Structure formats: C-alpha cells, structure tokens
C-alpha cells in the first residue's frame, strides 16, 4: 500500500462522527463566506474525511505536506471549479495551514514585522505592525472554526478551555504569548490575543539605533545591572518591558546563577546558568495550582545569585522585596504602571495583597530599601517605544518614598508624518548608586549626567 493510500485509509464520509463536545455545540455563528472560502472549506472537509489520521505520526513533516498536496489537488480537480495557477497554489497552501498549522493565522505568524495578532471573532482580525493597528482580510469560517484553532494551540501545552474555565494563557512553539477567551465570558464569540517575539532578539545596540534610549542612559543601566543594583521596569501594555528586561539581562555576568519566574515564559537569557520557572494553573478539579508567590519562595531555596520575576502582579511582591533586602541584589522585575510613582504605589498595593498586615510606612521602607532604579517605558502616539524616564529611589522623607529623575525624554512636538519629536536629556543629578557602580569597576564619565 502506497503512502497516499495509507493516508486515505478506508474511511468513508458516512463513517465520520459529527462534531461533538460542549464547545462545538455552543458555537455555531458563521461569517458570510465568498465562493473561494466555501471551496476551501469543502476541500478541507473532504480531505479530513478521507485521511487516516492514525497514519500521520508515522510520516515525516516534509513527506506529509507533499502527500497532502497530492490528495488536495485530486479533490480540487473533482470539484471542477476553474482556478488560476495563483489561486490554485494559494488554495493548496491554505489547506496545508488548516491541516497541519493554525489555519488562517499561519501567514500572519510568518510575518516577522507583526508584533501582535488580535482576533476579535471569526470575521475580525487585527494586527499591530510597527506600532500601528490595522485590520486584515483574514477570516475564520465561524466560531467553531476559531475554537478549533484555539484547541489546537492550548492542547500542545497541556492547558484546557471550556465553559468552566473560559480563558487561558499559553504560548506557541516560537515563544509567542497567547491569551484566549471564549463565551459566555466573551460576548461576541471567541477571541485570541497573540504577542509575538521575534526570532532575533534585540540587543542594546538595536535599542540605541531605534532611538529607544540615549547612549548615556544605556551605559548607566548596563553598569547598574553589572553592579547588582535592583531595578523595576515600569510601563503600559506593549511598551517594551519584557524586551528591555531581556536586553538588560545581557549584562549579568555569566558566572552568576539566575532564577527566572514567569506566568508565561517570555524571557530569553543568554547566560548558561539559568533556571526557568513557570506558574501552573489549577487542574480540572481545581487543584495543583502553582503561583508566582510559590515559585518566589521556592527560588530562595535554590541558591540564586539573582531572581528575575517577569512581572509582579500580586502577593509575590512582598517575597521579592524581602529577597532583595536579604542579599539577593541585582534582581530585576517589571510592573504595569504609567509612572515611577504609580509603580511604587502598585508595589505597595500588591504587598498588601500578600495577606500580611504590615503598616504602610513599613511597606514603603521595604520598597525604598530594596529598589534603587525605576525605568519608565511608554509607547508613543507614533508607535515608537521609548525609555521616557530613569528615576532613582533615594530613601524616605517623612512617610513618603523620595525619588529623583536622572534621565528623561522631552517631547517637543509631532512632525507632519505623525512622528513624535523630542530628545533624551540628563537632569544634572549625580545618582547615589553611582558610588556602587564605581566600586564594582563601572567607571562613568562626569559628563554622563550633565545637562
């Protein structure tokens, strides 16, 4: 029996069981399809009906693609629909994507310029490219088709999604972060948000060439990482916090043991001695959950030189601050906030979420003692992501955490093409942590902080 015969097997259309399961029964809203989409749906349905899926695991990917193309070409011929060579090749490629990939999302995932893919329903797919959102022509047949792609994504990482657990975080093999949410929580149908991460990770030289920060600020921040200064990276969604954390981590000496803690693994540290930890959601019985707080506590028993928390969002803030204050210097983390002052307020709130009834002043003293630098990021109106401020925490004044801004980005206007104009400036302040850099062998020029 040939390979094509093995793939086709002996199944007949009447042997195929109808779609079952709560999600399939729940979702049936369709989008209006043009004749091309209807043809593709028919070909793919017949392909799945005829294929012996049990033979797929025995065949290499390249050979499998070749055989699926041959079977699909036969099915196209049977349909008798005249197609140009271009449309025929496009149809074959899209059928391959439906069978072996993520369907309509595959072409978007292959475009390295796309940073976000946002699916708001079967007929509404947006992308972010170069910081700008735009709608695409990509469509799914219906909610069930979109749910099939969601199931395909999350099944590979052992997650589940259904009415009892209607949203999930996962990641693709290339490291891209995925969030999916379905009815009844999502009122207009299933929705997917995919945060892309390029195959080539940015370096500090790339951020400088993009104008994301000044050479002076870059030198200070790299020196701060080398000399084990504790840093918080603050910014809104999509402002580049994880990217900057990855870039700064390059300055961590390779001899140090680093433990990273994340909800969904996004960090890519280049050092050899790195232990990566990731949280785990509860199982179907509501048991087995592993939180970031659990992992921070466990990390302290792993003899780390540094602990990097991808994003602080809850009670683990207290454990992280205590670690910073008890010999685990050089830690870096990110937090969602719009200003350095807001970042500290959020940390204060998250410490309260730990369940420890600490006085407000004690919490603020912990923060002021543990953290030295807050880096503020922003995504500007033209889509550019920039470090708009580097602020030092200098201690307590009364009951308030005292701060001083070392560098900032001063906006001067907007050009006719929408580009935000401005320049990076030093504030003429010599930071307190500069002495620590000097002792660690990081020698800064006095001109670094000159106005």
């Amino acid at each position: 029996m040939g390979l094509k015969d093995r793939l086709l097997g002996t199944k007949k259309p009447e042997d195929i069981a109808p779609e079952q399961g709560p999600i399939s029964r729940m979702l049936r809203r369709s989008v209006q399809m043009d004749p091309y989409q209807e043809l593709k749906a028919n070909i793919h349905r017949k392909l799945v009906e005829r294929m012996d899926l049990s033979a797929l695991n025995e065949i290499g990917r390249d050979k499998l693609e070749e055989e699926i193309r041959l079977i699909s070409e036969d099915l196209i011929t049977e349909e008798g629909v005249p197609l140009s060579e271009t449309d025929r090749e496009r149809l074959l490629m899209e059928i391959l994507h439906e069978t072996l990939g993520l369907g309509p999302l595959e072409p978007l995932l292959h475009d390295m310029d796309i940073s976000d893919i946002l699916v708001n329903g079967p007929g509404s797919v947006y992308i972010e490219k170069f910081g700008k959102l735009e709608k695409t022509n990509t469509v799914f047949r219906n909610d069930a088709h979109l749910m099939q792609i969601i199931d395909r994504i999350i099944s590979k990482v052992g997650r589940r999604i259904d009415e009892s657990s209607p949203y999930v975080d996962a990641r693709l093999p290339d490291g891209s972060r995925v969030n999916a949410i379905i009815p009844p929580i999502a009122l207009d149908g299933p929705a997917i948000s995919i945060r892309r991460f390029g195959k080539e990770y940015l370096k500090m030289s790339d951020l400088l060439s993009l104008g994301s920060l000044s050479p002076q600020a870059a030198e200070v921040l790299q020196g701060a990482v080398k000399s084990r200064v504790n840093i918080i990276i603050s910014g809104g969604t999509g402002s580049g916090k994880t990217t900057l954390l990855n870039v700064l981590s390059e300055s961590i000496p390779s001899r140090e043991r680093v433990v990273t803690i994340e909800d969904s693994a996004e960090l890519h540290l280049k050092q050899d001695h790195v232990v990566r930890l990731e949280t785990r959601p509860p199982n179907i019985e509501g048991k087995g959950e592993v939180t970031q707080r659990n992992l921070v506590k466990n990390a302290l028993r792993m003899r780390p030189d540094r602990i990097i928390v991808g994003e602080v969002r809850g009670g683990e803030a207290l454990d992280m601050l205590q670690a910073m204050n008890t010999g685990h210097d050089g830690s870096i983390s990110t937090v969602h906030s719009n200003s350095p002052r807001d970042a500290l307020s959020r940390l204060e709130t998250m410490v309260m979420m730990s369940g420890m009834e600490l006085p407000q002043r004690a919490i603020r003293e912990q923060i002021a003692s543990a953290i030295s630098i807050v880096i503020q990021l922003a995504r500007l109106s033209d889509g550019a992501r920039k470090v708009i401020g580097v602020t030092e925490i200098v201690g307590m004044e009364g009951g308030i955490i005292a701060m001083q801004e070392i560098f900032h980005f001063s906006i001067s206007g907007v050009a006719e093409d929408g580009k935000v104009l401005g320049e990076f400036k030093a504030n003429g302040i010599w930071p307190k942590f500069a002495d620590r850099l000097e002792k660690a062998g990081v020698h800064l020029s006095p001109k670094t902080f000159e106005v």
Side-chain angles (χ1 to χ4, degrees), residues 7 45 102 128 296 392 442:
L7 277 177
R45 186 185 69 253
L102 298 182
E128 182 182 291
V296 171
E392 180 187 25
V442 180

Side-chain angles (χ1 to χ4, degrees), residues 259-319:
V259 178
T260 67
I261 298 167
E262 301 174 83
D263 263 345
S264 184
E266 301 171 11
L267 299 176
H268 297 274
L269 276 63
K270 304 291 179 63
Q271 290 77 7
D272 293 328
H273 203 166
V274 176
V275 180
R276 304 171 70 206
L277 306 179
E278 186 179 46
T279 61
R280 185 178 70 187
N283 60 21
I284 195 168
E285 298 173 350
K287 300 178 181 179
E289 181 181 18
V290 179
T291 66
Q292 282 203 143
R293 188 166 192 196
N294 298 143
L295 294 179
V296 171
K297 289 179 177 179
N298 190 78
L300 295 173
R301 304 185 183 103
M302 298 173 67
R303 197 260 174 226
D305 287 308
R306 300 180 192 237
I307 298 174
I308 295 180
V309 182
E311 181 186 338
V312 184
R313 59 180 69 185
E316 69 274 6
L318 175 61
D319 304 286

Side-chain angles (χ1 to χ4, degrees), residues 336-399:
H336 272 85
S337 54
N338 295 322
S339 72
R341 182 62 66 184
D342 286 346
L344 301 188
S345 296
R346 281 213 66 201
L347 283 175
E348 189 177 324
T349 302
M350 288 186 283
V351 169
M352 294 177 182
M353 292 167 62
S354 69
M356 299 288 288
E357 296 184 3
L358 297 173
Q360 186 182 63
R361 183 180 179 88
I363 296 173
R364 291 180 178 177
E365 286 176 349
Q366 283 263 12
I367 294 172
S369 176
I371 300 167
S372 295
I373 299 174
V374 180
I375 306 170
Q376 186 64 41
L377 297 174
R379 181 169 58 175
L380 305 182
S381 59
D382 61 355
R385 296 165 172 87
K386 292 187 185 293
V387 174
I388 61 170
V390 177
T391 302
E392 180 187 25
I393 296 177
V394 294
M396 295 284 292
E397 289 183 1

Side-chain angles (χ1 to χ4, degrees), residues 404-408 425-431 446-451:
Q404 59 183 13
E405 192 174 58
I406 309 300
F407 300 101
H408 73 282
K425 293 182 179 181
N427 289 350
I429 297 172
W430 189 269
K447 294 183 179 180
T448 301
F449 303 106
E450 287 184 359
V451 176

Side-chain angles (χ1 to χ4, degrees), residues 200-219 221-222 225 233 238-251 375-378 383-388 390 409 419 424:
E200 295 295 328
Y201 298 105
L202 297 180
K203 299 179 179 179
M204 185 60 80
S205 57
D206 298 314
L207 298 189
L208 290 171
S209 64
L210 290 169
S212 296
L213 76 169
S214 68
Q216 292 82 3
E219 181 185 13
L221 294 179
Q222 286 176 315
V225 174
I233 301 173
S239 59
K241 298 186 295 299
T242 302
T243 298
L244 181 60
L245 200 163
N246 272 320
V247 169
L248 291 179
S249 71
E250 292 183 357
S251 298
I375 306 170
Q376 186 64 41
L377 297 174
R385 296 165 172 87
K386 292 187 185 293
V387 174
I388 61 170
V390 177
F409 180 73
K419 181 177 176 61
F424 295 99

Side-chain angles (χ1 to χ4, degrees), residues 175-196:
S176 298
R177 185 177 68 202
V178 182
N179 175 270
I181 185 165
I182 65 171
I185 304 301
L187 300 181
D188 298 321
I192 310 176
S193 303
I194 302 177
R195 169 64 55 82
R196 303 290 313 288

